[in-house]
Amino acid sequence: MNLKGKTVIVTGSSRGIGFAIAKAFAAKGANIVINDIKIPDETIEEIKSFGVDCIGIVADISDFEQAENLVKGAKEKFGTVDVLVNNAGITRDGLLLRMKEKDFDDVIRINLKGTFNMTKHASKIMLKQRRGAIINLSSVVGLMGNVGQLNYSASKAGVLGITKSAARELGQRGITCNAIAPGFIKTPMTDVLNEDVKNAMLAQIPLGRQGLPEDVAKVAVFFAENDYITGQVVNCDGGMVMQ
């Protein structure tokens, strides 16, 4: 897909990986829909500095109707929805025996149900257009599990199931669906970890460094530009998980 002039929705994109993905698509000439529960004005202006159009739509994508309105808003503004990046997600870490039911439910609701909501609504438009790319953010812990992240691991493993099933269902209409499984990426979510935890994680990475949001963004653009790749998972993790 030639991204110039196309419409890209990136959920959870006011900062971190989502914002890096939005900028990477803007650099390719795509118009961007920023989504989050709060969107600073400077976020929109930075995207527009690439010479593209950009709007921000505040919505909780775990709510079915809000997700639908987000997609409708993008379609009304730009006329199409060509790429959807399901990036929005949260963590509520804790050991299994101490994990609260609400912490489990919240992570599943936002990370997994939010991906379902957005994929369902965006795919309706893409099916009529007979083209589109859906890119889901999973995680290496969705592949291998992790102590203290049972809820997050479950949600990200579920995202992989959505990805592969959607790829099979939508492929005949020219819609691709792929997933990225980031590893230890430098974001506000990982910045709060103590140095011992960070060093332990770095010791598992053959490339010996923490990933950057821009590393993940490059993979997202790659998936959108390649029309003959679908149902795939790329680990963007410096070699932390090898299959």
Side-chain angles (χ1 to χ4, degrees), residues 121-174:
H121 296 310
S123 64
K124 289 180 180 178
I125 295 172
M126 292 178 180
L127 285 167
K128 292 179 181 178
Q129 298 173 170
R130 301 187 73 88
R131 72 174 189 274
I134 298 169
I135 301 153
N136 297 325
L137 271 291
S138 180
S139 169
V140 294
V141 303
L143 296 165
M144 66 180 188
N146 196 32
V147 174
Q149 289 193 305
L150 183 146
N151 50 1
Y152 189 73
S153 298
S155 71
K156 293 303 185 177
V159 166
L160 296 179
I162 287 177
T163 300
K164 293 177 182 294
S165 296
R168 291 186 181 276
E169 288 190 24
L170 303 175
Q172 291 185 351
R173 292 292 186 94

Side-chain angles (χ1 to χ4, degrees), residues 43-56:
T43 298
I44 305 298
E45 294 308 311
E46 186 167 347
I47 296 295
K48 287 184 175 180
S49 71
F50 287 91
V52 300
D53 202 354
C54 177
I55 60 170

Side-chain angles (χ1 to χ4, degrees), residues 96-209:
L96 169 61
L97 295 180
R98 298 177 181 174
M99 186 173 290
K100 298 176 182 178
E101 181 183 15
K102 186 177 187 304
D103 291 339
F104 183 87
D105 289 346
D106 285 349
V107 169
I108 296 296
R109 176 175 54 82
I110 293 171
N111 298 4
L112 186 57
K113 186 172 185 287
T115 298
F116 161 75
N117 289 345
M118 290 300 298
T119 300
K120 179 178 174 65
H121 296 310
S123 64
K124 289 180 180 178
I125 295 172
M126 292 178 180
L127 285 167
K128 292 179 181 178
Q129 298 173 170
R130 301 187 73 88
R131 72 174 189 274
I134 298 169
I135 301 153
N136 297 325
L137 271 291
S138 180
S139 169
V140 294
V141 303
L143 296 165
M144 66 180 188
N146 196 32
V147 174
Q149 289 193 305
L150 183 146
N151 50 1
Y152 189 73
S153 298
S155 71
K156 293 303 185 177
V159 166
L160 296 179
I162 287 177
T163 300
K164 293 177 182 294
S165 296
R168 291 186 181 276
E169 288 190 24
L170 303 175
Q172 291 185 351
R173 292 292 186 94
I175 301 166
T176 62
C177 188
N178 294 286
I180 307 171
F184 185 33
I185 307 297
K186 183 174 176 56
T187 66
M189 198 177 289
T190 59
D191 285 344
V192 299
L193 299 173
N194 66 52
E195 289 304 312
D196 289 341
V197 172
K198 289 181 180 179
N199 290 334
M201 296 183 75
L202 285 171
Q204 301 177 53
I205 302 174
L207 289 182
R209 71 169 178 88

Side-chain angles (χ1 to χ4, degrees), residues 206-223:
L207 289 182
R209 71 169 178 88
Q210 191 175 5
L212 299 175
E214 290 75 16
D215 295 321
V216 181
K218 291 173 186 176
V219 183
V221 170
F222 168 80
F223 275 143

